[in-house]
Amino acid sequence: MTLQWTVVALFLYVEIGVLVILCLPFISAKKWQKVFNLRIWSPVARFSNRVFLTMIVILIVLFLDAVREVRKYSVKNLGTDAKLLPNMHDHMHMKLFRAQRNLYISGFAVFLWLVMKRVVTLINNLASASATTAALLAQTDDANKAAKKCLEDNEMLKKTLMDGTGDQATAEGMQLLRKEVEKLQEELKKSEDALKESRVAAGGLREQTDGLAREYDRLLKEHQNLQNQDEKKDA
């Protein structure tokens, strides 16, 4: 094996080893992304596309050269010289075997180089998608907690107003209601901001935003009704 094909064979073995390591199941995509984002890769990252295209061109040229060699030594009719030289037939088969071997080496090297590039891209995409999903789940949980707290506070206010008697109880209930409504407005505003950010990445949060808006309107209506009742009693 000549020097160039020895290098290509070693490159093929390195590709196989790297792909096996990248496919290990106990190493998550986030860990690989951290490895890819290390500072030592920064100088190489600027020339990654050029290196990739350069290797593709070199491997394709070697592949075409191997194809040419296979076609060259695949001639069935060896001519009259083969009859004169008994070892000519074996020599031609040896040349053909080497050409086919080089063809397979260069072909698999090109294929695995493309596969390795694709695997690295998919690992980065998977890690980014996992981080985005985790952030969306956290925002959804916060929105659900805020909505549940709104319902609990509303029920508590209703119970306080229904249990109270007289103008003093009504006034205390209205004061408590105003404070709670202001607090709920701030919490609902924060929840709406979080839901607006989440809506860009996931359309499924739209229903929760609408539910919070309806709950907010219902609280305002109840607050308005309680204010009207207070005004009527004062009159």
Side-chain angles (χ1 to χ4, degrees), residues 31-42:
K31 292 181 180 179
W32 280 121
Q33 191 179 39
K34 291 180 181 179
V35 173
F36 298 151
N37 292 332
L38 292 176
R39 293 183 178 179
I40 58 175
W41 304 116
S42 299

Side-chain angles (χ1 to χ4, degrees), residues 19-36:
L19 286 174
V20 170
I21 295 174
L22 290 176
C23 294
L24 292 176
F26 55 85
I27 303 178
S28 63
K30 292 182 179 179
K31 292 181 180 179
W32 280 121
Q33 191 179 39
K34 291 180 181 179
V35 173
F36 298 151

Side-chain angles (χ1 to χ4, degrees), residues 33-200:
Q33 191 179 39
K34 291 180 181 179
V35 173
F36 298 151
N37 292 332
L38 292 176
R39 293 183 178 179
I40 58 175
W41 304 116
S42 299
V44 183
R46 293 179 296 177
F47 307 100
S48 59
N49 291 330
R50 294 181 181 179
V51 172
F52 175 76
L53 294 176
T54 302
M55 290 303 302
I56 285 292
V57 171
I58 293 174
L59 292 174
I60 289 176
V61 170
L62 292 174
F63 177 77
L64 294 177
D65 181 64
V67 171
R68 182 185 63 82
E69 292 292 324
V70 170
R71 295 184 63 183
K72 176 181 178 182
Y73 296 111
S74 296
V75 180
K76 296 182 179 180
N77 187 12
L78 299 178
T80 58
D81 293 338
K83 297 179 181 180
L84 299 177
L85 300 175
N87 295 329
M88 179 67 71
H89 190 270
D90 295 335
H91 181 73
M92 293 297 292
H93 276 284
M94 182 184 66
K95 291 286 188 179
L96 179 61
F97 169 77
R98 291 179 178 177
Q100 291 175 342
R101 178 199 62 192
N102 297 336
L103 176 66
Y104 296 145
I105 291 174
S106 59
F108 279 109
V110 173
F111 175 72
L112 292 182
W113 183 245
L114 295 173
V115 170
M116 188 166 59
K117 174 69 173 179
R118 185 61 177 170
V119 167
V120 172
T121 303
L122 290 176
I123 288 174
N124 285 324
N125 292 338
L126 179 59
S128 300
S130 299
T132 303
T133 303
L136 290 176
L137 289 176
Q139 291 178 357
T140 303
D141 292 339
D142 293 339
N144 289 331
K145 291 179 181 178
K148 188 181 293 184
K149 189 174 182 181
C150 289
L151 293 175
E152 292 176 354
D153 292 341
N154 190 25
E155 294 295 331
M156 183 182 67
L157 289 173
K158 285 183 179 180
K159 185 177 180 180
T160 303
L161 292 175
M162 291 177 66
D163 293 340
T165 56
D167 295 339
Q168 183 177 1
T170 305
E172 292 177 356
M174 289 298 298
Q175 185 177 3
L176 180 61
L177 180 62
R178 291 190 185 95
K179 292 181 180 180
E180 291 296 331
V181 168
E182 292 176 357
K183 184 178 178 181
L184 291 174
Q185 286 177 349
E186 294 178 358
E187 292 179 354
L188 287 172
K189 186 176 180 181
K190 294 179 181 179
S191 299
E192 288 178 354
D193 294 338
L195 289 172
K196 286 180 181 178
E197 294 177 359
S198 302
R199 191 182 302 168
V200 178

